[in-house]
Amino acid sequence: MNDKNVYSRKATLSLKISEFEVPPMQDLLIVGKKAPIGPEAVRRMAEALSPEQFTLIRIDHPKIEAVLLRNSLLQMLDEKLLMGIIMEEAERMISDSMVLRSELKIAVTVQREVELS
Amino acid sequence: MKVSDMMLTMLHTITSDKSVAHASERMREQRVSSLLVMDHGEVIGMLTPRDIFASHPNRIVADAMSPGPICISSDQTVWDAGRLMEEHGVEQALIMAEDELAGWITRENIMIKLAEFRDPLTGLFRAPYIQTIGERLLYEKKPFHLLFIDLNNFGQINKLYGHPFGDDVIREYSSLLATMMDERYDHVSRYAGDEFVVISTADDDRILSYIDQMETPIGIRHMQVSAAVGHVNGYLDPNFFTYSFRELIEKASLLSTSTKQRIAGTVL
């Protein structure tokens, strides 16, 4: 048979299904100054997906424009202390066109001594 | 001249959730240099080509726009508008008429208009400027000092030394006036040939000091140049607000002539 007379179009579908996590946002996003998504878009997205659960902190930095933080983190640690740690780690790897996402878990260890009567 | 006389009434708007790429395309299509960013009928910012160049095209307008433009009342003069925009370092301003958005204006438009009112020889504003300031203060019932400054023997200077030298005298005397003025209180203009007008809300002591400096002869090359000053004090004259600005200028001008006659000891 002449190959010129055979013509076929096929599509192969691959479907992966998993549960959508609610809320879908991670603990924090670090927005570069020239990133394709700006701080206000990030804030609106977070507000639409997880209302009143995130705070946007705008910062004056050569590469980073803002950090979006889960409010519960701010309840556990002082904002200045938390931001100091985040910035120290983020500025080593971020470029001004990136948006970094990060998980941040805080584990508090308490040890107390009490007087025995 | 009021800003309402030269404002742009065609408003091109965009909402803050649109992309910068979309805004850029719209500006190109509509051939406009900026877009007013409005959400739910409220102005929240302005998008200019500078904002677009500095932002990723995927960003939303809210992340690229300049903050809300300043608002200027439609009654303000172009001089006030220019000063306000310079103070705030903004390129555009909205014009409001009784709390309603009436139009907008760019600093470039203002600067072009103001250049038309400047005297090319001295760099000072011309008569329409001082007239606008004076009429506005009279309308607002705010008293002021009006000084009419007339150079002595300027006709003779021109005849004896030529017009180019006369121009030098005007330029140097203007420069002296300009450095004397304090922009918090004073407005100065070249009113006509060798005549200048100052409107000031400074205190009496300062005004007396001005008159003293203006009348004291100064050396310009080999000439001693002085001026006669006519002073109308709006703080003392109980009928001040019954006069029009034109009548006040006439009054100050005649007082300047009297001073000139007194100095020369002649009667015209």
Side-chain angles (χ1 to χ4, degrees):
Chain A
M1 188 186 288
N2 190 342
D3 281 351
K4 279 195 283 188
N5 295 328
V6 178
Y7 177 74
S8 137
R9 290 182 78 219
K10 288 180 183 172
T12 306
L13 273 73
S14 168
L15 196 63
K16 287 182 185 176
I17 300 175
S18 62
E19 190 183 10
F20 185 67
E21 288 176 38
V22 179
M25 295 286 297
Q26 296 223 335
D27 296 315
L28 63 100
L29 288 176
I30 302 152
V31 184
K33 275 198 157 167
K34 292 180 184 168
I37 308 168
E40 182 57 22
V42 161
R43 191 196 66 76
R44 290 183 190 188
M45 175 183 71
E47 196 56 29
L49 296 173
S50 313
E52 293 131 34
Q53 288 186 43
F54 286 87
T55 298
L56 183 79
I57 301 167
R58 289 180 186 268
I59 46 179
D60 187 18
H61 186 274
K63 289 188 289 187
I64 300 169
E65 191 168 358
V67 174
L68 184 81
L69 266 175
R70 188 183 289 283
N71 287 345
S72 56
L73 296 171
L74 291 169
Q75 281 161 9
M76 294 176 78
L77 274 184
D78 175 63
E79 181 186 316
K80 203 172 167 186
L81 178 70
L82 195 54
M83 285 298 288
I85 296 166
I86 293 167
M87 293 298 289
E88 199 180 321
E89 296 304 324
E91 65 189 0
R92 290 178 186 173
M93 57 188 298
I94 198 170
S95 78
D96 59 4
S97 60
M98 290 166 79
V99 178
L100 293 182
R101 65 177 180 175
S102 169
E103 273 186 62
L104 198 157
K105 302 296 173 213
I106 299 171
V108 180
T109 308
V110 178
Q111 185 177 351
R112 287 190 182 200
E113 285 187 11
V114 293
E115 291 286 336
L116 295 174
S117 56
Chain B
M1 186 181 202
K2 291 180 180 175
V3 282
S4 54
D5 297 333
M6 59 166 298
M7 68 184 179
L8 307 162
T9 50
M10 179 73 90
L11 295 165
H12 295 273
T13 63
I14 193 164
T15 52
S16 71
D17 57 345
K18 292 284 187 287
S19 72
V20 168
H22 175 84
S24 170
E25 186 59 23
R26 188 183 286 188
M27 283 164 82
R28 193 187 64 77
E29 276 173 9
Q30 297 179 347
R31 296 181 180 186
V32 290
S33 60
S34 54
L35 292 171
L36 205 56
V37 185
M38 291 183 86
D39 280 345
H40 314 295
E42 198 172 315
V43 177
I44 59 165
M46 184 76 96
L47 192 72
T48 65
R50 195 190 298 172
D51 299 324
I52 285 179
F53 294 142
S55 300
H56 192 285
N58 187 67
R59 281 199 170 200
I60 59 171
V61 168
D63 279 320
M65 67 186 186
S66 302
I70 61 163
C71 295
I72 294 174
S73 162
S74 57
D75 290 338
Q76 297 270 46
T77 65
V78 283
W79 294 280
D80 288 334
R83 184 177 45 77
L84 277 170
M85 291 171 81
E86 200 166 326
E87 274 174 18
H88 288 85
V90 293
E91 296 300 320
Q92 288 91 12
L94 300 180
I95 310 300
M96 309 296 285
E98 294 174 358
D99 295 337
E100 290 285 321
L101 182 60
W104 65 291
I105 203 157
T106 67
R107 183 145 67 146
E108 190 184 1
N109 289 351
I110 295 248
M111 290 304 144
I112 291 169
K113 185 52 76 180
L114 289 184
E116 291 174 16
F117 287 105
R118 278 201 192 272
D119 170 41
L121 180 65
T122 62
L124 297 179
F125 284 121
R126 294 183 289 109
Y129 165 71
I130 212 75
Q131 185 175 337
T132 306
I133 302 288
E135 286 176 347
R136 195 189 65 196
L137 289 173
L138 286 176
Y139 175 77
E140 292 172 354
K141 297 275 187 273
K142 289 180 182 165
F144 55 88
H145 295 275
L146 182 67
L147 304 179
F148 192 95
I149 305 139
D150 190 356
L151 292 188
N152 293 323
N153 305 316
F154 186 69
Q156 286 291 98
I157 292 170
N158 269 340
K159 277 181 196 159
L160 288 174
Y161 303 103
H163 285 271
F165 181 73
D167 286 349
D168 290 346
V169 169
I170 294 285
R171 229 184 335 254
E172 293 210 22
Y173 195 81
S174 302
S175 164
L176 174 82
L177 281 180
T179 51
M180 207 187 293
M181 299 290 105
D182 184 328
E183 63 177 25
R184 288 173 298 173
Y185 321 107
D186 308 325
H187 305 274
V188 61
S189 77
R190 184 183 180 198
Y191 194 73
D194 63 333
E195 293 153 352
F196 303 86
V197 171
V198 169
I199 284 178
S200 176
T201 53
D203 59 35
D204 288 358
D205 287 346
R206 186 183 280 266
I207 296 298
L208 292 176
S209 157
Y210 283 169
I211 294 172
D212 189 43
Q213 289 178 70
M214 289 165 182
E215 292 189 335
T216 301
I218 54 160
I220 298 177
R221 293 204 211 160
H222 51 280
M223 285 286 302
Q224 288 291 303
V225 178
S226 65
V229 180
H231 175 202
V232 174
N233 187 341
Y235 296 87
L236 293 181
D237 188 343
N239 300 317
F240 186 69
F241 295 110
T242 63
Y243 297 115
S244 66
F245 186 69
R246 182 193 162 98
E247 288 167 333
L248 289 174
I249 287 280
E250 279 170 7
K251 219 173 161 186
S253 161
L254 292 173
L255 286 168
S256 147
T257 308
S258 307
T259 308
K260 210 181 271 278
Q261 288 167 354
R262 200 179 62 242
I263 292 168
T266 58
V267 177
L268 294 176

